[in-house]
Amino acid sequence: MSEAFDCAKCGESLYGRKYIQADGGPHCVPCYDNTFANTCAECQELIGHDSRELFYEDRHFHEGCFRCCRCQRSLADEPFTCQDSELLCNDCYCSAFSSQCSACGETVMPGSRKLEYGGQTWHEHCFLCSGCEEPLGARSFVPDKGGHYCVPCYENKFAPRCARCNKTLTQGGVTYRDQPWHRECLVCTGCQTPLAGQQFTSKDEDPYCVACFGELFAPKCSSCKRPITGLGGGKYVSFEERRWHHSCFSCARCSTSLVGQGFVPDGDQVLCQGCSQAGP
């Protein structure tokens, strides 16, 4: 009598039948598939022992079920991406989730180098300065009027220029005669002292500090001989061709202030009426 050779699962004889050796003994094909085969994540049917099985993470698929969820292309030998548990071929993923380059209109492929700004995306090699058309890469840039400019191009094209040296003003500066100046460029024409933040005046459109303007152009007080600039609220008195500071306009004899008073000229001097009547 022959020795028993039965399926370890169902107990049916395996003589003359196909079987598969597994842990626990030999199994007929139906029992082996029911016991050990994985379930396809797509069609939910068992993946038989004679089927090509593919798996991704913890999911198993028949070869024919491992396909793009959008275009149904087989992914068995194709690169793919998983998005929200769905398998997508590269073409479908790029179409659905990748950005288009704002310059060339082509798809910015996943993993490629790109730049994003203001809700737009560019290939790194497509993000160019609107002036010199060189790639901006990681350099600083300035957006203006729909373009993007490297700092040198922006300064050359848009930044104000100093009225004296004609170089661009990148920060700060002062305004004189409705024109921009570097602070270090606005200096006294006479002594070269910086005028930014200081009181100054001008002569023939050239700026002068108060001291230089007084020495070079202002009339001199007939009494103290110092300049009368009229700047800073300084008041003066004029008579014929002569001028006096308010504080200097006094009687040459008694030193009484003559501001707002009657006076009598006496040669190069002025006298109050009392001293004039008293005689020499």
Side-chain angles (χ1 to χ4, degrees):
M1 184 173 184
S2 61
E3 184 180 354
F5 185 51
D6 302 329
C7 173
K9 183 72 173 176
C10 67
E12 292 186 5
S13 174
L14 296 176
Y15 281 113
R17 298 175 61 189
K18 184 176 181 180
Y19 70 92
I20 301 173
Q21 186 68 36
D23 293 341
H27 289 65
C28 64
V29 171
C31 285
Y32 178 87
D33 286 344
N34 288 330
T35 303
F36 299 103
N38 293 305
T39 301
C40 177
E42 178 66 21
C43 69
Q44 301 303 311
E45 295 183 5
L46 292 176
I47 304 173
H49 68 283
D50 56 351
S51 299
R52 183 184 177 191
E53 180 178 348
L54 301 175
F55 67 92
Y56 173 72
E57 295 183 341
D58 59 348
R59 293 182 288 169
H60 298 261
F61 301 85
H62 293 104
E63 180 180 13
C65 293
F66 193 63
R67 57 183 182 267
C68 174
C69 68
R70 299 205 174 195
C71 70
Q72 303 304 307
R73 178 194 301 179
S74 173
L75 301 177
D77 300 305
E78 296 283 341
F80 65 91
T81 302
C82 184
Q83 181 73 24
D84 297 330
S85 298
E86 293 185 333
L87 300 178
L88 298 166
C89 65
N90 272 3
D91 289 344
C92 287
Y93 177 80
C94 292
S95 176
F97 300 104
S98 296
S99 303
Q100 282 191 324
C101 176
S102 296
C104 69
E106 298 291 331
T107 299
V108 180
M109 297 296 292
S112 63
R113 297 178 67 87
K114 64 181 180 179
L115 290 163
E116 294 179 322
Y117 176 76
Q120 295 179 292
T121 304
W122 290 263
H123 294 110
E124 185 179 45
H125 60 272
C126 289
F127 192 55
L128 308 178
C129 171
S130 300
C132 63
E133 298 186 348
E134 290 295 321
L136 290 170
R139 291 189 295 163
S140 298
F141 68 91
V142 182
D144 193 282
K145 299 177 181 178
H148 305 88
Y149 296 86
C150 64
V151 174
C153 283
Y154 179 79
E155 291 179 351
N156 288 333
K157 189 175 181 67
F158 298 108
R161 292 183 176 274
C162 175
R164 180 178 184 183
C165 70
N166 201 39
K167 295 181 179 178
T168 57
L169 279 79
T170 56
Q171 59 182 2
V174 293
T175 300
Y176 171 62
R177 291 189 176 275
D178 296 325
Q179 292 182 306
W181 296 62
H182 291 112
R183 295 179 67 88
E184 60 272 20
C185 288
L186 185 62
V187 297
C188 173
T189 306
C191 65
Q192 303 300 303
T193 298
L195 298 177
Q198 306 297 322
Q199 187 180 45
F200 67 93
T201 187
S202 63
K203 173 71 174 177
D204 298 329
E205 299 188 0
D206 293 325
Y208 289 88
C209 67
V210 174
C212 285
F213 182 83
E215 289 297 326
L216 295 173
F217 306 109
K220 304 300 187 291
C221 175
S222 295
S223 177
C224 69
K225 308 305 180 183
R226 288 181 298 182
I228 300 175
T229 63
L231 298 172
K235 297 181 179 180
Y236 64 93
V237 176
S238 62
F239 175 69
E240 295 180 344
E241 298 297 323
R242 291 181 286 172
R243 292 180 177 81
W244 294 263
H245 297 107
H246 260 207
S247 58
C248 295
F249 190 56
S250 58
C251 176
R253 293 183 183 177
C254 68
S255 299
T256 299
S257 174
L258 298 178
V259 177
Q261 306 297 320
F263 65 91
V264 177
D266 183 21
D268 293 335
Q269 301 178 334
V270 287
L271 305 173
C272 65
Q273 291 181 347
C275 288
S276 174
Q277 293 172 359

